[in-house]
PDB file of all heavy atoms in Angstrom:
ATOM      1  N   PHE A  27      97.151 117.106 109.833  1.00  0.00           N
ATOM      2  CA  PHE A  27      97.604 118.484 109.643  1.00  0.00           C
ATOM      3  C   PHE A  27      98.903 118.722 110.404  1.00  0.00           C
ATOM      4  O   PHE A  27      99.854 119.317 109.878  1.00  0.00           O
ATOM      5  CB  PHE A  27      96.531 119.489 110.091  1.00  0.00           C
ATOM      6  CG  PHE A  27      97.056 120.901 110.166  1.00  0.00           C
ATOM      7  CD1 PHE A  27      97.387 121.594 109.009  1.00  0.00           C
ATOM      8  CD2 PHE A  27      97.250 121.525 111.398  1.00  0.00           C
ATOM      9  CE1 PHE A  27      97.905 122.896 109.078  1.00  0.00           C
ATOM     10  CE2 PHE A  27      97.760 122.814 111.470  1.00  0.00           C
ATOM     11  CZ  PHE A  27      98.089 123.502 110.308  1.00  0.00           C
ATOM     12  N   TYR A  28      98.977 118.256 111.638  1.00  0.00           N
ATOM     13  CA  TYR A  28     100.192 118.459 112.446  1.00  0.00           C
ATOM     14  C   TYR A  28     101.368 117.649 111.910  1.00  0.00           C
ATOM     15  O   TYR A  28     102.502 118.114 111.854  1.00  0.00           O
ATOM     16  CB  TYR A  28      99.936 118.052 113.903  1.00  0.00           C
ATOM     17  CG  TYR A  28      99.051 118.998 114.686  1.00  0.00           C
ATOM     18  CD1 TYR A  28      98.299 118.523 115.769  1.00  0.00           C
ATOM     19  CD2 TYR A  28      98.986 120.359 114.388  1.00  0.00           C
ATOM     20  CE1 TYR A  28      97.510 119.387 116.519  1.00  0.00           C
ATOM     21  CE2 TYR A  28      98.192 121.224 115.124  1.00  0.00           C
ATOM     22  CZ  TYR A  28      97.441 120.731 116.194  1.00  0.00           C
ATOM     23  OH  TYR A  28      96.662 121.575 116.934  1.00  0.00           O
ATOM     24  N   GLU A  29     101.102 116.412 111.550  1.00  0.00           N
ATOM     25  CA  GLU A  29     102.176 115.468 111.255  1.00  0.00           C
ATOM     26  C   GLU A  29     102.687 115.585 109.821  1.00  0.00           C
ATOM     27  O   GLU A  29     103.848 115.284 109.557  1.00  0.00           O
ATOM     28  CB  GLU A  29     101.652 114.037 111.500  1.00  0.00           C
ATOM     29  CG  GLU A  29     102.720 113.008 111.715  1.00  0.00           C
ATOM     30  CD  GLU A  29     103.529 113.193 113.002  1.00  0.00           C
ATOM     31  OE1 GLU A  29     103.206 114.100 113.801  1.00  0.00           O
ATOM     32  OE2 GLU A  29     104.509 112.462 113.179  1.00  0.00           O
ATOM     33  N   GLY A  30     101.858 116.024 108.918  1.00  0.00           N
ATOM     34  CA  GLY A  30     102.150 115.922 107.496  1.00  0.00           C
ATOM     35  C   GLY A  30     103.221 116.886 107.012  1.00  0.00           C
ATOM     36  O   GLY A  30     103.594 117.848 107.676  1.00  0.00           O
ATOM     37  N   ASN A  41     114.527 115.280 107.911  1.00  0.00           N
ATOM     38  CA  ASN A  41     114.923 116.100 109.066  1.00  0.00           C
ATOM     39  C   ASN A  41     115.285 115.208 110.247  1.00  0.00           C
ATOM     40  O   ASN A  41     116.267 115.450 110.946  1.00  0.00           O
ATOM     41  CB  ASN A  41     113.774 117.029 109.486  1.00  0.00           C
ATOM     42  CG  ASN A  41     113.696 118.287 108.635  1.00  0.00           C
ATOM     43  OD1 ASN A  41     114.627 118.639 107.924  1.00  0.00           O
ATOM     44  ND2 ASN A  41     112.560 118.979 108.728  1.00  0.00           N
ATOM     45  N   VAL A  42     114.480 114.176 110.458  1.00  0.00           N
ATOM     46  CA  VAL A  42     114.707 113.251 111.576  1.00  0.00           C
ATOM     47  C   VAL A  42     115.846 112.287 111.240  1.00  0.00           C
ATOM     48  O   VAL A  42     116.763 112.071 112.039  1.00  0.00           O
ATOM     49  CB  VAL A  42     113.414 112.468 111.893  1.00  0.00           C
ATOM     50  CG1 VAL A  42     113.661 111.393 112.942  1.00  0.00           C
ATOM     51  CG2 VAL A  42     112.313 113.433 112.352  1.00  0.00           C
ATOM     52  N   ALA A  79     109.212 126.265 118.457  1.00  0.00           N
ATOM     53  CA  ALA A  79     109.053 126.775 117.093  1.00  0.00           C
ATOM     54  C   ALA A  79     107.595 127.183 116.875  1.00  0.00           C
ATOM     55  O   ALA A  79     106.687 126.624 117.503  1.00  0.00           O
ATOM     56  CB  ALA A  79     109.463 125.705 116.080  1.00  0.00           C
ATOM     57  N   PRO A  80     107.365 128.168 115.985  1.00  0.00           N
ATOM     58  CA  PRO A  80     105.983 128.601 115.770  1.00  0.00           C
ATOM     59  C   PRO A  80     105.179 127.551 115.014  1.00  0.00           C
ATOM     60  O   PRO A  80     105.601 127.094 113.950  1.00  0.00           O
ATOM     61  CB  PRO A  80     106.145 129.874 114.931  1.00  0.00           C
ATOM     62  CG  PRO A  80     107.440 129.667 114.192  1.00  0.00           C
ATOM     63  CD  PRO A  80     108.324 128.905 115.140  1.00  0.00           C
ATOM     64  N   THR A  81     104.059 127.147 115.564  1.00  0.00           N
ATOM     65  CA  THR A  81     103.148 126.247 114.861  1.00  0.00           C
ATOM     66  C   THR A  81     101.726 126.792 114.993  1.00  0.00           C
ATOM     67  O   THR A  81     101.373 127.407 116.000  1.00  0.00           O
ATOM     68  CB  THR A  81     103.213 124.803 115.419  1.00  0.00           C
ATOM     69  OG1 THR A  81     103.034 124.832 116.838  1.00  0.00           O
ATOM     70  CG2 THR A  81     104.556 124.152 115.100  1.00  0.00           C
ATOM     71  N   ALA A  82     100.941 126.541 113.969  1.00  0.00           N
ATOM     72  CA  ALA A  82      99.594 127.110 113.865  1.00  0.00           C
ATOM     73  C   ALA A  82      98.597 126.340 114.737  1.00  0.00           C
ATOM     74  O   ALA A  82      98.847 125.189 115.099  1.00  0.00           O
ATOM     75  CB  ALA A  82      99.137 127.057 112.407  1.00  0.00           C
ATOM     76  N   SER A 109     102.974 131.755 116.834  1.00  0.00           N
ATOM     77  CA  SER A 109     102.668 131.877 115.409  1.00  0.00           C
ATOM     78  C   SER A 109     101.633 132.962 115.144  1.00  0.00           C
ATOM     79  O   SER A 109     100.683 133.141 115.894  1.00  0.00           O
ATOM     80  CB  SER A 109     102.127 130.531 114.895  1.00  0.00           C
ATOM     81  OG  SER A 109     101.618 130.678 113.586  1.00  0.00           O
ATOM     82  N   MET A 110     101.833 133.648 114.042  1.00  0.00           N
ATOM     83  CA  MET A 110     100.814 134.558 113.528  1.00  0.00           C
ATOM     84  C   MET A 110      99.496 133.804 113.311  1.00  0.00           C
ATOM     85  O   MET A 110      98.416 134.363 113.481  1.00  0.00           O
ATOM     86  CB  MET A 110     101.338 135.109 112.195  1.00  0.00           C
ATOM     87  CG  MET A 110     100.393 135.852 111.327  1.00  0.00           C
ATOM     88  SD  MET A 110     101.415 136.520 109.965  1.00  0.00           S
ATOM     89  CE  MET A 110     100.132 137.097 108.865  1.00  0.00           C
ATOM     90  N   ALA A 111      99.576 132.512 113.009  1.00  0.00           N
ATOM     91  CA  ALA A 111      98.384 131.696 112.760  1.00  0.00           C
ATOM     92  C   ALA A 111      97.904 130.991 114.032  1.00  0.00           C
ATOM     93  O   ALA A 111      97.378 129.884 113.981  1.00  0.00           O
ATOM     94  CB  ALA A 111      98.680 130.663 111.670  1.00  0.00           C
ATOM     95  N   GLN A 135     106.048 135.331 115.422  1.00  0.00           N
ATOM     96  CA  GLN A 135     106.325 134.900 114.041  1.00  0.00           C
ATOM     97  C   GLN A 135     105.352 135.559 113.089  1.00  0.00           C
ATOM     98  O   GLN A 135     104.149 135.646 113.352  1.00  0.00           O
ATOM     99  CB  GLN A 135     106.219 133.377 113.939  1.00  0.00           C
ATOM    100  CG  GLN A 135     106.459 132.847 112.518  1.00  0.00           C
ATOM    101  CD  GLN A 135     105.179 132.730 111.705  1.00  0.00           C
ATOM    102  OE1 GLN A 135     104.124 132.434 112.265  1.00  0.00           O
ATOM    103  NE2 GLN A 135     105.255 132.987 110.406  1.00  0.00           N
ATOM    104  N   TYR A 137     104.417 136.301 108.800  1.00  0.00           N
ATOM    105  CA  TYR A 137     104.608 136.219 107.346  1.00  0.00           C
ATOM    106  C   TYR A 137     104.402 137.634 106.811  1.00  0.00           C
ATOM    107  O   TYR A 137     103.343 138.231 107.065  1.00  0.00           O
ATOM    108  CB  TYR A 137     103.578 135.299 106.699  1.00  0.00           C
ATOM    109  CG  TYR A 137     103.677 133.833 107.088  1.00  0.00           C
ATOM    110  CD1 TYR A 137     102.770 133.280 107.978  1.00  0.00           C
ATOM    111  CD2 TYR A 137     104.660 133.015 106.538  1.00  0.00           C
ATOM    112  CE1 TYR A 137     102.831 131.928 108.324  1.00  0.00           C
ATOM    113  CE2 TYR A 137     104.733 131.670 106.878  1.00  0.00           C
ATOM    114  CZ  TYR A 137     103.821 131.129 107.765  1.00  0.00           C
ATOM    115  OH  TYR A 137     103.894 129.810 108.107  1.00  0.00           O
ATOM    116  N   THR A 163     109.095 134.618 108.700  1.00  0.00           N
ATOM    117  CA  THR A 163     109.228 133.352 107.967  1.00  0.00           C
ATOM    118  C   THR A 163     109.256 133.637 106.479  1.00  0.00           C
ATOM    119  O   THR A 163     108.316 134.224 105.932  1.00  0.00           O
ATOM    120  CB  THR A 163     108.063 132.408 108.331  1.00  0.00           C
ATOM    121  OG1 THR A 163     108.090 132.193 109.745  1.00  0.00           O
ATOM    122  CG2 THR A 163     108.197 131.076 107.613  1.00  0.00           C
ATOM    123  N   ASP A 165     110.202 131.252 103.966  1.00  0.00           N
ATOM    124  CA  ASP A 165     110.242 130.066 103.106  1.00  0.00           C
ATOM    125  C   ASP A 165     108.887 129.740 102.480  1.00  0.00           C
ATOM    126  O   ASP A 165     108.673 128.644 101.981  1.00  0.00           O
ATOM    127  CB  ASP A 165     110.746 128.848 103.905  1.00  0.00           C
ATOM    128  CG  ASP A 165     109.878 128.544 105.126  1.00  0.00           C
ATOM    129  OD1 ASP A 165     108.742 129.066 105.210  1.00  0.00           O
ATOM    130  OD2 ASP A 165     110.332 127.779 105.998  1.00  0.00           O
ATOM    131  N   LYS A 231     113.430 133.322 109.434  1.00  0.00           N
ATOM    132  CA  LYS A 231     113.211 131.874 109.570  1.00  0.00           C
ATOM    133  C   LYS A 231     112.976 131.243 108.202  1.00  0.00           C
ATOM    134  O   LYS A 231     112.150 131.736 107.422  1.00  0.00           O
ATOM    135  CB  LYS A 231     111.991 131.628 110.470  1.00  0.00           C
ATOM    136  CG  LYS A 231     111.584 130.160 110.589  1.00  0.00           C
ATOM    137  CD  LYS A 231     110.469 129.980 111.591  1.00  0.00           C
ATOM    138  CE  LYS A 231     110.086 128.528 111.783  1.00  0.00           C
ATOM    139  NZ  LYS A 231     109.249 127.993 110.702  1.00  0.00           N
ATOM    140  N   SER A 253     115.911 126.230 108.481  1.00  0.00           N
ATOM    141  CA  SER A 253     114.663 125.467 108.596  1.00  0.00           C
ATOM    142  C   SER A 253     114.094 125.189 107.221  1.00  0.00           C
ATOM    143  O   SER A 253     114.156 126.052 106.340  1.00  0.00           O
ATOM    144  CB  SER A 253     113.657 126.303 109.400  1.00  0.00           C
ATOM    145  OG  SER A 253     112.360 125.728 109.366  1.00  0.00           O
ATOM    146  N   ASN A 254     113.532 123.993 107.039  1.00  0.00           N
ATOM    147  CA  ASN A 254     112.740 123.735 105.833  1.00  0.00           C
ATOM    148  C   ASN A 254     111.249 123.648 106.204  1.00  0.00           C
ATOM    149  O   ASN A 254     110.466 122.999 105.514  1.00  0.00           O
ATOM    150  CB  ASN A 254     113.227 122.487 105.081  1.00  0.00           C
ATOM    151  CG  ASN A 254     113.109 121.217 105.924  1.00  0.00           C
ATOM    152  OD1 ASN A 254     112.296 121.145 106.856  1.00  0.00           O
ATOM    153  ND2 ASN A 254     113.902 120.203 105.596  1.00  0.00           N
ATOM    154  N   HIS A 255     110.896 124.334 107.312  1.00  0.00           N
ATOM    155  CA  HIS A 255     109.495 124.440 107.719  1.00  0.00           C
ATOM    156  C   HIS A 255     108.935 123.056 108.100  1.00  0.00           C
ATOM    157  O   HIS A 255     107.773 122.742 107.835  1.00  0.00           O
ATOM    158  CB  HIS A 255     108.672 125.067 106.596  1.00  0.00           C
ATOM    159  CG  HIS A 255     107.482 125.867 107.036  1.00  0.00           C
ATOM    160  ND1 HIS A 255     107.387 127.218 106.852  1.00  0.00           N
ATOM    161  CD2 HIS A 255     106.322 125.508 107.662  1.00  0.00           C
ATOM    162  CE1 HIS A 255     106.220 127.659 107.317  1.00  0.00           C
ATOM    163  NE2 HIS A 255     105.560 126.639 107.824  1.00  0.00           N
ATOM    164  N   GLY A 256     109.793 122.255 108.693  1.00  0.00           N
ATOM    165  CA  GLY A 256     109.341 120.914 109.067  1.00  0.00           C
ATOM    166  C   GLY A 256     108.928 120.082 107.856  1.00  0.00           C
ATOM    167  O   GLY A 256     108.097 119.178 107.971  1.00  0.00           O
ATOM    168  N   ARG A 258     107.339 121.123 105.221  1.00  0.00           N
ATOM    169  CA  ARG A 258     105.971 121.453 104.800  1.00  0.00           C
ATOM    170  C   ARG A 258     105.926 122.410 103.619  1.00  0.00           C
ATOM    171  O   ARG A 258     104.850 122.765 103.151  1.00  0.00           O
ATOM    172  CB  ARG A 258     105.206 122.048 105.979  1.00  0.00           C
ATOM    173  CG  ARG A 258     105.011 121.027 107.099  1.00  0.00           C
ATOM    174  CD  ARG A 258     104.677 121.674 108.417  1.00  0.00           C
ATOM    175  NE  ARG A 258     103.323 122.170 108.526  1.00  0.00           N
ATOM    176  CZ  ARG A 258     102.276 121.438 108.877  1.00  0.00           C
ATOM    177  NH1 ARG A 258     102.414 120.157 109.110  1.00  0.00           N
ATOM    178  NH2 ARG A 258     101.087 121.991 109.001  1.00  0.00           N
ATOM    179  N   ASP A 286     115.696 124.499 113.143  1.00  0.00           N
ATOM    180  CA  ASP A 286     114.593 123.625 113.540  1.00  0.00           C
ATOM    181  C   ASP A 286     114.332 122.596 112.464  1.00  0.00           C
ATOM    182  O   ASP A 286     114.719 122.758 111.310  1.00  0.00           O
ATOM    183  CB  ASP A 286     113.332 124.399 113.957  1.00  0.00           C
ATOM    184  CG  ASP A 286     112.581 125.037 112.789  1.00  0.00           C
ATOM    185  OD1 ASP A 286     112.538 124.462 111.678  1.00  0.00           O
ATOM    186  OD2 ASP A 286     111.997 126.115 113.010  1.00  0.00           O
ATOM    187  N   GLY A 287     113.681 121.485 112.882  1.00  0.00           N
ATOM    188  CA  GLY A 287     113.372 120.395 111.961  1.00  0.00           C
ATOM    189  C   GLY A 287     114.005 119.097 112.424  1.00  0.00           C
ATOM    190  O   GLY A 287     115.230 118.932 112.328  1.00  0.00           O
ATOM    191  N   GLY A 288     113.194 118.206 112.964  1.00  0.00           N
ATOM    192  CA  GLY A 288     113.668 116.866 113.287  1.00  0.00           C
ATOM    193  C   GLY A 288     114.350 116.709 114.619  1.00  0.00           C
ATOM    194  O   GLY A 288     114.838 115.622 114.943  1.00  0.00           O
ATOM    195  N   VAL A 289     114.403 117.763 115.436  1.00  0.00           N
ATOM    196  CA  VAL A 289     115.057 117.670 116.748  1.00  0.00           C
ATOM    197  C   VAL A 289     114.144 116.881 117.694  1.00  0.00           C
ATOM    198  O   VAL A 289     113.009 117.294 117.943  1.00  0.00           O
ATOM    199  CB  VAL A 289     115.341 119.069 117.329  1.00  0.00           C
ATOM    200  CG1 VAL A 289     115.884 118.947 118.749  1.00  0.00           C
ATOM    201  CG2 VAL A 289     116.301 119.837 116.430  1.00  0.00           C
ATOM    202  N   ARG A 290     114.618 115.751 118.153  1.00  0.00           N
ATOM    203  CA  ARG A 290     113.806 114.873 119.003  1.00  0.00           C
ATOM    204  C   ARG A 290     114.506 114.405 120.267  1.00  0.00           C
ATOM    205  O   ARG A 290     113.854 113.838 121.145  1.00  0.00           O
ATOM    206  CB  ARG A 290     113.378 113.619 118.207  1.00  0.00           C
ATOM    207  CG  ARG A 290     112.602 113.917 116.920  1.00  0.00           C
ATOM    208  CD  ARG A 290     111.231 114.514 117.194  1.00  0.00           C
ATOM    209  NE  ARG A 290     110.502 114.797 115.951  1.00  0.00           N
ATOM    210  CZ  ARG A 290     110.432 116.002 115.390  1.00  0.00           C
ATOM    211  NH1 ARG A 290     111.025 117.059 115.954  1.00  0.00           N
ATOM    212  NH2 ARG A 290     109.757 116.194 114.271  1.00  0.00           N
ATOM    213  N   GLY A 307     114.889 124.795 117.537  1.00  0.00           N
ATOM    214  CA  GLY A 307     113.444 124.847 117.751  1.00  0.00           C
ATOM    215  C   GLY A 307     112.826 123.465 117.623  1.00  0.00           C
ATOM    216  O   GLY A 307     113.353 122.604 116.912  1.00  0.00           O
ATOM    217  N   VAL A 308     111.724 123.260 118.339  1.00  0.00           N
ATOM    218  CA  VAL A 308     110.931 122.041 118.153  1.00  0.00           C
ATOM    219  C   VAL A 308     109.492 122.438 117.843  1.00  0.00           C
ATOM    220  O   VAL A 308     108.899 123.267 118.523  1.00  0.00           O
ATOM    221  CB  VAL A 308     110.951 121.098 119.382  1.00  0.00           C
ATOM    222  CG1 VAL A 308     112.277 120.361 119.443  1.00  0.00           C
ATOM    223  CG2 VAL A 308     110.695 121.835 120.686  1.00  0.00           C
ATOM    224  N   GLY A 309     108.936 121.829 116.798  1.00  0.00           N
ATOM    225  CA  GLY A 309     107.568 122.109 116.380  1.00  0.00           C
ATOM    226  C   GLY A 309     106.619 121.010 116.804  1.00  0.00           C
ATOM    227  O   GLY A 309     105.879 121.119 117.783  1.00  0.00           O
ATOM    228  N   ARG A 310     106.646 119.877 116.086  1.00  0.00           N
ATOM    229  CA  ARG A 310     105.690 118.800 116.347  1.00  0.00           C
ATOM    230  C   ARG A 310     105.752 118.258 117.773  1.00  0.00           C
ATOM    231  O   ARG A 310     104.691 117.986 118.351  1.00  0.00           O
ATOM    232  CB  ARG A 310     105.867 117.691 115.311  1.00  0.00           C
ATOM    233  CG  ARG A 310     105.452 118.135 113.894  1.00  0.00           C
ATOM    234  CD  ARG A 310     105.639 117.012 112.894  1.00  0.00           C
ATOM    235  NE  ARG A 310     105.354 117.421 111.528  1.00  0.00           N
ATOM    236  CZ  ARG A 310     106.229 118.004 110.709  1.00  0.00           C
ATOM    237  NH1 ARG A 310     107.461 118.267 111.122  1.00  0.00           N
ATOM    238  NH2 ARG A 310     105.872 118.333 109.473  1.00  0.00           N
ATOM    239  N   PRO A 311     106.936 118.060 118.369  1.00  0.00           N
ATOM    240  CA  PRO A 311     106.940 117.514 119.739  1.00  0.00           C
ATOM    241  C   PRO A 311     106.106 118.342 120.716  1.00  0.00           C
ATOM    242  O   PRO A 311     105.462 117.783 121.612  1.00  0.00           O
ATOM    243  CB  PRO A 311     108.428 117.524 120.110  1.00  0.00           C
ATOM    244  CG  PRO A 311     109.136 117.338 118.798  1.00  0.00           C
ATOM    245  CD  PRO A 311     108.309 118.136 117.813  1.00  0.00           C
ATOM    246  N   LEU A 313     103.434 120.025 119.942  1.00  0.00           N
ATOM    247  CA  LEU A 313     102.029 119.713 119.633  1.00  0.00           C
ATOM    248  C   LEU A 313     101.629 118.353 120.188  1.00  0.00           C
ATOM    249  O   LEU A 313     100.508 118.161 120.660  1.00  0.00           O
ATOM    250  CB  LEU A 313     101.801 119.765 118.116  1.00  0.00           C
ATOM    251  CG  LEU A 313     101.975 121.155 117.498  1.00  0.00           C
ATOM    252  CD1 LEU A 313     102.006 121.068 115.968  1.00  0.00           C
ATOM    253  CD2 LEU A 313     100.858 122.091 117.951  1.00  0.00           C
TER     254      LEU A 313
HETATM  255  C1  FNR B 401     104.563 124.647 111.385  1.00  0.00           C
HETATM  256  N1  FNR B 401     105.575 125.571 111.109  1.00  0.00           N
HETATM  257  C2  FNR B 401     105.257 126.915 111.053  1.00  0.00           C
HETATM  258  N2  FNR B 401     106.232 127.837 110.825  1.00  0.00           N
HETATM  259  C3  FNR B 401     105.945 129.154 110.808  1.00  0.00           C
HETATM  260  O1  FNR B 401     106.852 129.962 110.630  1.00  0.00           O
HETATM  261  N3  FNR B 401     104.670 129.581 111.021  1.00  0.00           N
HETATM  262  C4  FNR B 401     103.632 128.727 111.242  1.00  0.00           C
HETATM  263  O2  FNR B 401     102.497 129.149 111.443  1.00  0.00           O
HETATM  264  C5  FNR B 401     103.922 127.342 111.230  1.00  0.00           C
HETATM  265  N4  FNR B 401     102.926 126.422 111.413  1.00  0.00           N
HETATM  266  C6  FNR B 401     103.226 125.095 111.526  1.00  0.00           C
HETATM  267  C7  FNR B 401     102.215 124.182 111.813  1.00  0.00           C
HETATM  268  C8  FNR B 401     102.523 122.838 111.998  1.00  0.00           C
HETATM  269  C9  FNR B 401     101.430 121.887 112.334  1.00  0.00           C
HETATM  270  C10 FNR B 401     103.875 122.388 111.882  1.00  0.00           C
HETATM  271  C11 FNR B 401     104.241 120.954 112.108  1.00  0.00           C
HETATM  272  C12 FNR B 401     104.860 123.289 111.576  1.00  0.00           C
HETATM  273  C13 FNR B 401     106.983 125.138 111.004  1.00  0.00           C
HETATM  274  C14 FNR B 401     107.668 125.097 112.373  1.00  0.00           C
HETATM  275  O3  FNR B 401     107.905 126.385 112.856  1.00  0.00           O
HETATM  276  C15 FNR B 401     109.026 124.393 112.328  1.00  0.00           C
HETATM  277  O4  FNR B 401     109.787 124.910 111.283  1.00  0.00           O
HETATM  278  C16 FNR B 401     108.924 122.875 112.180  1.00  0.00           C
HETATM  279  O5  FNR B 401     107.784 122.368 112.832  1.00  0.00           O
HETATM  280  C17 FNR B 401     110.160 122.210 112.761  1.00  0.00           C
HETATM  281  O6  FNR B 401     110.151 120.852 112.518  1.00  0.00           O
HETATM  282  P1  FNR B 401     109.682 119.736 113.596  1.00  0.00           P
HETATM  283  O7  FNR B 401     110.278 120.116 114.937  1.00  0.00           O
HETATM  284  O8  FNR B 401     108.200 119.760 113.579  1.00  0.00           O
HETATM  285  O9  FNR B 401     110.288 118.515 113.023  1.00  0.00           O
END
Side-chain angles (χ1 to χ4, degrees):
F27 169 69
Y28 288 153
E29 201 66 4
N41 278 344
V42 174
T81 52
S109 170
M110 168 173 170
Q135 178 269 326
Y137 295 104
T163 302
D165 58 15
K231 175 174 183 282
S253 170
N254 62 24
H255 210 114
R258 295 161 75 85
D286 73 35
V289 174
R290 303 292 180 261
V308 284
R310 292 180 184 86
L313 295 169

